[in-house]
Amino acid sequence: MQGDEGPRLQGKRAVVTGAGSGIGRASALRMAREGADLIIFDIEEDGVRATAEEARKLGRDVYSAQLDCTVEADIVAAFAKAKDACGPIDILMNNVGQSARERASEFYKSDPEVWDFVLGITLMPPLMCSRQVVADMRERRAGKIVNVASNAGLAGEIGLTEYAAAKMGVIGFTRSLARELAPFGVNVNALCPGVTKTRVINRISDDIVQEITKSIPMGYFAEPEDIAAVAAFLASDDARYMTGQSVVVDGGRWMV
Amino acid sequence: MDGLSPDSSTARPEEGRVAVVTGAAQGIGRAIALKLVSRGYKLGLLDIDEAILAETAAKVGNNAVPVMADCTAETEIARAFGEIESRLGPVDVLVNNVGQSARKRSAEFYLSDPEVWRFVVDVNLRSALLASRQVVPGMRQRQQGRIINLSSNSALAGDLQVADYAAAKMAIIGFTRSLARELAPFHVTVNALCPGVIKTRAFDNMPQTFFDAVTGRIPMGVLGEPEDVANAAAFLASEDARYMTGQSLVIDGGRCMI
């Protein structure tokens, strides 16, 4: 809630993918705090259940399910079931996505199978999940789609070639879908987080953490809540005249 | 949590903060002032048009300090900020909104007049530098602050007859990014807003053919309202945007995508 107007997302139904931890969890809870009822998915059943319990404590109606967002048939079934149970979807936050992590490498020695994995989990899920809600949003002439891209796509990062490509793919998808849906009053925007304190950070050595910190003008990492706050803005009517944009939330590392 | 409460969605940390809006009497500036006062800010309002400024200040209410000032004149800006700070306290949020195209004097570049360029650059760019110069030392010292600069999607898209305006508004983006880097270590954020065509009095006397041509270029098919820009300004001013700096937010119904 931002002061004068009351909860911005009251009466809305928001889907967040990858809501079991990190940015997805923080965004689901932020939207719940702003009045949204939720449909949340994650491949990790315990995580998504914990987020659901927390959101229910806020008084929201929550539908949660385990879902692997790389499997199209599962996505189709999961969205159909959720819509049957909850009714139409007002907000979709496509948050699922990841780098190759342990298998990340410089491009000259990279493995095409790893590219396929990263594209499959980072670029394809936003397309597949959006496909499940766009027809309805178009018809109802209302809706918000928030795609999580990354500042790695904009800045380019050594060792993250395929991840940067996939995230730039998310931005291209965002812009095209924004143009397609603009006449129907549906907003599609991307969010580009910088380095955010999620479980991923625990896997990085202290030396590298220090090095990354030095590259951030503001001098610290984002909390998941910093990204969630911007997601809630884009999911609200406060941003109703913004579409096709990539909003960078990275402490000033990359400026668009 | 680095100062961000998990309940930032319901807390009102803005209550009592001081915001200054330049060019606040009408249009986008007025909408921003009204939005910020509804969020609990105290407001300093600058404008060159004293009568209309007084009307806006009355609408904003007891939390407004209106000061008539020509924002291109360094001495007037210094006097205005002196008065606002002495009455409200140090400035937490500065919205550099003043600006305009040359309007009736705008022309295609091959016919344009350098005198007009100077006016356009002064009122759009120099005004933002002058006002920022007043508040930046204090923000730096207090390790907090927000600067929000009004650019335009004309800068990004390029539009006929506004070469000087587009240049000045793109310069605002360069200023935003550099100042953002300078102030990031001090927790002061600096961002820009790039509105598209917004329903203000600048378009009051335009013929319908003009609106048809303009809306034809906007994917959403409608002009923006001043409140659409004001909502984004209020967002950038809030704790919700504390990790965003140096960015340009385009609010133009999908014409330019960045």
Side-chain angles (χ1 to χ4, degrees):
Chain A
M1 176 178 2
Q2 278 300 311
D4 49 327
E5 303 91 349
R8 289 186 298 190
L9 306 179
Q10 194 77 55
K12 305 290 183 196
R13 177 69 70 168
V15 176
V16 180
T17 66
S21 63
I23 291 170
R25 175 182 175 277
S27 299
L29 293 175
R30 172 64 191 250
M31 289 185 200
R33 245 179 240 119
E34 295 213 34
D37 294 318
L38 300 178
I39 294 168
I40 51 177
F41 297 119
D42 202 290
I43 196 167
E44 292 178 22
E45 196 163 7
D46 291 350
V48 76
R49 197 179 296 137
T51 303
E53 274 164 30
E54 246 183 284
R56 284 189 193 106
K57 280 185 211 147
L58 297 163
R60 299 282 89 82
D61 183 65
V62 184
Y63 176 100
S64 75
Q66 192 270 345
L67 174 64
D68 178 348
C69 278
T70 65
V71 183
E72 189 184 352
D74 291 0
I75 288 176
V76 172
F79 274 78
K81 228 175 128 186
K83 279 192 276 185
D84 274 352
C86 306
I89 289 160
D90 302 293
I91 296 161
L92 169 63
M93 180 173 179
N94 284 310
N95 167 66
V96 155
Q98 66 164 78
S99 69
R101 297 179 183 162
E102 294 80 11
R103 291 190 289 161
S105 74
E106 289 179 58
F107 186 73
Y108 77 97
K109 50 186 178 183
S110 65
D111 178 348
E113 266 182 45
V114 175
W115 311 342
D116 288 343
F117 166 75
V118 171
L119 289 171
I121 199 162
T122 303
L123 176 57
M124 298 316 284
L127 273 70
M128 293 194 288
C129 294
S130 301
R131 187 70 181 78
Q132 310 309 312
V133 303
V134 158
D136 286 349
M137 287 182 173
R138 207 182 128 106
E139 197 170 293
R140 296 168 60 224
R141 301 185 79 89
K144 313 276 182 194
I145 298 178
V146 180
N147 295 322
V148 179
S150 165
N151 81 342
L154 301 163
E157 299 278 359
I158 292 174
L160 292 175
T161 329
E162 68 287 311
Y163 180 69
K167 287 298 197 186
M168 239 20 216
V170 170
I171 289 177
F173 172 61
T174 300
R175 293 182 183 178
S176 293
L177 191 61
R179 288 193 193 278
E180 180 177 324
L181 298 178
F184 302 94
V186 177
N187 303 77
V188 188
N189 291 289
L191 230 174
C192 304
V195 186
T196 306
K197 282 191 206 155
T198 62
R199 291 182 300 182
V200 178
I201 299 304
N202 302 333
R203 301 190 190 126
I204 302 176
S205 75
D206 286 352
D207 287 355
I208 293 178
V209 166
Q210 274 193 355
E211 200 180 307
I212 299 172
T213 306
K214 265 190 249 160
S215 76
I216 304 170
M218 295 196 86
Y220 62 95
F221 291 0
E223 300 290 339
E225 286 75 11
D226 289 316
I227 314 304
V230 183
F233 168 69
L234 291 174
S236 79
D237 271 336
D238 280 356
R240 66 171 189 169
Y241 203 56
M242 286 179 68
T243 197
Q245 307 305 328
S246 304
V247 178
V248 181
V249 191
D250 74 345
R253 207 163 169 223
W254 187 262
M255 296 177 178
V256 302
Chain B
M1 294 284 298
D2 280 319
L4 186 79
S5 114
D7 281 323
S8 69
S9 52
T10 49
R12 296 193 63 174
E14 291 101 337
E15 200 71 56
R17 286 193 186 170
V18 176
V20 173
V21 181
T22 69
Q26 304 185 76
I28 292 171
R30 180 175 187 273
I32 292 172
L34 292 171
K35 172 61 68 174
L36 292 179
V37 82
S38 77
R39 297 269 169 97
Y41 292 87
K42 295 184 281 183
L43 283 172
L45 307 174
L46 270 63
D47 206 286
I48 198 166
D49 190 327
E50 194 168 23
I52 305 175
L53 179 63
E55 279 172 37
T56 297
K59 184 109 201 260
V60 170
N62 293 335
N63 279 333
V65 174
V67 185
M68 191 193 69
D70 175 353
C71 289
T72 65
E74 192 176 348
T75 51
E76 290 193 32
I77 285 273
R79 177 183 52 77
F81 277 84
E83 187 176 336
I84 288 164
E85 295 211 318
S86 73
R87 290 180 56 187
L88 298 178
V91 176
D92 300 296
V93 177
L94 169 62
V95 183
N96 284 310
N97 165 71
V98 85
Q100 58 161 282
S101 67
R103 295 177 186 158
K104 291 182 186 70
R105 291 191 291 162
S106 73
E108 286 184 60
F109 186 72
Y110 80 102
L111 298 168
S112 65
D113 177 351
E115 273 304 307
V116 175
W117 308 342
R118 199 164 291 121
F119 166 73
V120 168
V121 171
D122 275 359
V123 76
N124 289 291
L125 178 60
R126 199 154 185 280
S127 64
L129 271 68
L130 286 173
S132 300
R133 187 68 183 77
Q134 298 297 317
V135 301
V136 160
M139 287 181 175
R140 206 182 127 106
Q141 194 172 36
R142 287 178 292 117
Q143 304 251 336
Q144 67 169 58
R146 296 278 191 270
I147 296 176
I148 299 161
N149 296 320
L150 270 288
S151 176
S152 166
N153 81 341
S154 284
L156 304 164
D159 277 315
L160 290 178
Q161 301 205 343
V162 291
D164 44 7
Y165 179 72
K169 288 301 195 187
M170 207 67 196
I172 283 284
I173 292 177
F175 173 58
T176 299
R177 293 182 182 178
S178 292
L179 191 59
R181 289 195 192 277
E182 179 177 323
L183 298 179
F186 304 96
H187 302 281
V188 176
T189 71
V190 187
N191 292 289
L193 292 174
C194 304
V197 184
I198 305 295
K199 282 186 207 155
T200 62
R201 71 171 177 144
F203 301 104
D204 272 357
N205 299 315
M206 293 294 193
Q208 191 56 40
T209 49
F210 167 83
F211 290 106
D212 293 344
V214 168
T215 48
R217 290 199 302 256
I218 303 170
M220 295 194 90
V222 290
L223 303 191
E225 300 287 341
E227 290 70 26
D228 293 321
V229 185
N231 288 336
F235 162 68
L236 288 175
S238 77
E239 286 303 303
D240 279 352
R242 68 161 194 165
Y243 203 62
M244 285 180 63
T245 196
Q247 307 304 331
S248 304
L249 289 189
V250 181
I251 306 158
D252 74 346
R255 188 176 166 218
C256 297
M257 297 180 175
I258 65 168

